[in-house]
Amino acid sequence: MTARPLSDHARLSINDATTKVQWTLEEEIAGYSALGVHGISIWRDKLAACGVAKAARMLAEHGMTVTGLCRGGMFPSDTAAGRQAAIDDNRRAIDDAATIGAACLVLVVGGLPQGSKDIGAARGMVHDGIAAVLEHARAARVPLAIEPLHPMYAADRACVNTMGQANDLCDALGPGLGIALDVYHVWWDPDLEREIARAGKERLLAFHICDWLVPTRDLLLDRGMMGDGVIDIPQIRGWAEEAGYDGFHEVEIFSSENWWKRPAEEVVAVCKERYLTAV
Ligand code: ZN
């Protein structure tokens, strides 16, 4: 069922990669809030530049809901020391997510280790890496959200590429683990409706939105504004709502040649407008 149009911005969040080039985290917290956007998702590089304690204070002062911290993951490595370093880094990310009150830590799970052609082994390392940090996440009350990435990133960013794979990991590893559904990565999947229903309210921890442009000129940095591409976002939102999802909708647009070149205020204004017409 296609979702009914949204009528206000109460559940609009902006992932701070959307204004990555224009604004610092301090400017984003103040700017989004002043422009009527009360949800934010934060990348760790900007969080580190601001300082975790200062960010937590500013987020509270501005009444922002933190819909996610990006990102943990990147578990596979060709050495045991490399895999342990990833586990340690994920534990630090969990602690930071707890400090800023993030609704989840988004996991971009990682691709093939250097020189490897064994994607099955990489997927095993992802399973084992998540298993190694899950207890820490549960204790910190930070849910881990596996974000399946489009298969074009299977080698270098994430070897978990479908909602079905993410659901299988959740089945295997249990509570404290869920899924970040990003329409950009999963819109093409013939099993999408069924796997969203399978995930259900419990596992659907985040809903990321942007659009798939035709043609796409860059595999990483040419995401479209909602409404400018081919993704039926209301359809996918409808499936998520049927499954019980009632959380924020997080705009996440990496766009080096378009949106990152425009004033941040304009980008936020267009996000708000398209949120009501194309989401
Ligand atoms: Zn995303």
Side-chain angles (χ1 to χ4, degrees):
M1 194 174 62
T2 294
R4 280 188 310 207
L6 294 154
S7 57
D8 62 56
H9 298 102
R11 291 192 290 150
L12 171 61
S13 172
I14 297 184
N15 183 300
D16 77 356
T18 307
T19 53
K20 178 188 174 81
V21 173
Q22 300 97 319
W23 275 350
T24 64
L25 180 56
E26 291 93 323
E27 290 169 330
E28 286 164 339
I29 294 169
Y32 296 173
S33 157
L35 295 167
V37 176
H38 306 295
I40 185 172
S41 184
I42 298 172
W43 280 73
R44 288 173 73 195
D45 54 347
K46 280 195 172 177
L47 182 63
C50 173
V52 182
K54 181 182 178 190
R57 200 166 56 239
M58 281 194 73
L59 289 161
E61 281 167 7
H62 288 82
M64 299 296 282
T65 296
V66 184
T67 55
L69 177 65
C70 301
R71 62 177 200 243
M74 295 291 165
F75 293 107
S77 169
D78 53 353
T79 65
R83 293 191 290 279
Q84 185 59 47
I87 288 166
D88 294 342
D89 184 59
N90 275 271
R91 290 196 176 123
R92 287 191 292 273
I94 289 164
D95 294 341
D96 287 349
T99 302
I100 61 171
C104 61
L105 174 66
V106 173
L107 299 184
V108 173
V109 297
L112 293 169
Q114 190 90 40
S116 169
K117 295 185 180 183
D118 191 345
I119 196 165
R123 286 173 174 151
M125 291 175 194
V126 168
H127 170 282
D128 294 350
I130 295 173
V133 301
L134 193 52
E135 201 49 56
H136 189 87
R138 287 176 185 143
R141 299 184 179 280
V142 174
L144 302 178
I146 300 169
E147 182 163 346
L149 258 51
H150 190 281
M152 66 182 172
Y153 301 119
D156 59 348
R157 287 175 201 279
C159 58
V160 172
N161 307 103
T162 63
M163 292 282 294
Q165 279 179 278
N167 269 315
D168 288 347
L169 281 164
C170 291
D171 283 349
L173 293 169
L177 187 59
I179 301 172
L181 187 173
D182 187 327
V183 299
Y184 189 74
H185 295 301
V186 299
W187 67 275
W188 54 273
D189 183 352
D191 295 328
L192 185 57
E193 180 179 8
R194 194 176 68 211
E195 292 296 335
I196 288 174
R198 179 182 163 201
K201 182 180 171 67
E202 195 102 320
R203 284 184 190 167
L204 290 173
L205 299 177
F207 190 88
H208 297 178
I209 51 178
C210 68
D211 216 333
W212 185 282
L213 299 176
V214 179
T216 290
R217 296 163 297 175
D218 184 282
L219 295 187
L220 189 61
L221 303 177
D222 191 27
R223 295 193 188 195
M225 179 63 66
M226 300 81 73
D228 287 345
V230 297
I231 304 177
D232 188 342
I233 303 173
Q235 171 72 270
I236 301 174
R237 181 168 64 85
W239 291 337
E241 287 175 2
E242 277 176 53
Y245 184 76
D246 59 4
F248 277 73
H249 310 104
E250 177 183 320
V251 179
E252 184 184 31
I253 301 176
F254 304 87
S255 173
S256 59
E257 298 306 310
N258 185 3
W259 297 102
W260 285 353
K261 290 187 169 173
R262 305 193 193 201
E265 293 85 352
E266 178 192 338
V267 176
V268 173
V270 177
C271 287
K272 290 183 69 179
E273 175 198 322
R274 298 296 180 84
Y275 186 69
L276 303 183
T277 58
V279 175

